[in-house]
């Protein structure tokens, strides 16, 4: 049972890592304003918000789309390696990390929400057109796969290591 859950959690985490590459290289949205159209990736969107003076939005999107997913990858990987090795190393801290990954998981869809809100605002004001692109699907897959990986991981495995 334990090996099955760890293996499934690893598989979901690796699938999320694979999806993270196209999520960042492929365009997440196409914007056409006043006749000018362009596609943009997540990082291009962050840079554009930063250049336009929307530092808060740029920072939130950067944290939600780069910092949080990368932190989740590292944290879940650490938890899985620790559980596989049955290490007694920092059990309480690992339990806190697991709870943090679970809580943060729900906020990870922020990028998808931003694309939806921007599209709705632009269409509502009839200033132009905004359409999601394939990159946002990969990013949504990253979020879902990391959440499933965390759900598959049994936090009791943090406590199954041998005491030294």
């Amino acid at each position: 049972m334990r090996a099955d859950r760890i293996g499934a959690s690893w598989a979901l985490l690796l699938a999320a890592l694979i999806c993270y590459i196209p999520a960042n290289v492929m365009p997440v949205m196409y914007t056409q304003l006043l006749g000018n159209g362009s596609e943009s990736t997540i990082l291009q969107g962050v840079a554009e918000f930063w250049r336009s003076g929307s530092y808060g939005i740029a920072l939130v999107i950067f944290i939600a789309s780069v910092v949080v997913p990368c932190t989740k990858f590292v944290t879940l990987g650490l938890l899985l390696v620790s559980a596989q090795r049955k290490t007694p190393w920092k059990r309480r801290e690992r339990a806190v990390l697991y709870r943090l990954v679970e809580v943060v998981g729900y906020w990870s869809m922020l990028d998808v929400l931003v694309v939806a809100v921007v599209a709705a605002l632009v269409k509502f004001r009839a200033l132009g057109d905004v359409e999601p692109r394939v990159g946002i699907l990969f990013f949504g897959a990253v979020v879902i796969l990391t959440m499933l990986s965390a759900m598959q991981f049994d936090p009791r495995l943090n406590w199954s290591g041998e005491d030294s």
Side-chain angles (χ1 to χ4, degrees):
M1 173 70 174
R2 177 184 153 298
D4 292 345
R5 294 195 64 136
I6 290 176
S9 188
W10 268 120
L12 291 162
L13 182 60
L14 290 175
L17 277 164
I18 290 168
C19 287
Y20 190 64
I21 295 166
N24 281 292
V25 235
M26 298 180 102
V28 292
M29 119 173 123
Y30 170 79
T31 310
Q32 180 182 4
L33 294 172
L34 305 172
N36 295 327
S38 66
E39 292 185 326
S40 60
T41 64
I42 291 173
L43 291 177
Q44 288 171 335
V46 168
E48 189 59 38
F49 277 117
W50 190 268
R51 277 193 297 271
S52 71
S54 300
Y55 305 117
I57 294 173
L59 190 60
V60 166
I61 293 173
F62 180 77
I63 289 171
S65 56
V66 177
V67 175
V68 168
C70 290
T71 302
K72 283 172 67 175
F73 294 146
V74 170
T75 302
L76 283 168
L78 173 75
L79 291 172
L80 286 164
V81 167
S82 298
Q84 278 183 313
R85 293 186 177 182
K86 297 182 181 179
T87 179
W89 176 75
K90 298 197 181 271
R91 287 182 176 152
R92 290 194 195 290
E93 290 84 351
R94 286 188 287 146
V96 169
L97 281 176
Y98 175 76
R99 285 193 291 276
L100 186 64
V101 164
E102 272 196 324
V103 169
V104 168
Y106 301 109
W107 290 96
S108 298
M109 279 297 224
L110 188 61
D111 282 356
V112 177
L113 181 65
V114 166
V115 169
V117 168
V118 168
L121 286 173
V122 169
K123 287 183 186 274
F124 179 71
R125 294 187 178 176
L127 296 173
D129 194 25
V130 173
E131 297 173 0
R133 289 294 191 238
V134 72
I136 203 69
L137 293 175
F138 281 102
F139 190 81
V142 168
V143 172
I144 291 167
L145 289 167
T146 54
M147 286 174 63
L148 290 173
S149 177
M151 290 168 62
Q152 190 64 37
F153 180 78
D154 185 356
R156 294 175 295 182
L157 294 173
N158 280 328
W159 304 99
S160 66
E162 299 174 10
D163 290 327
S164 23

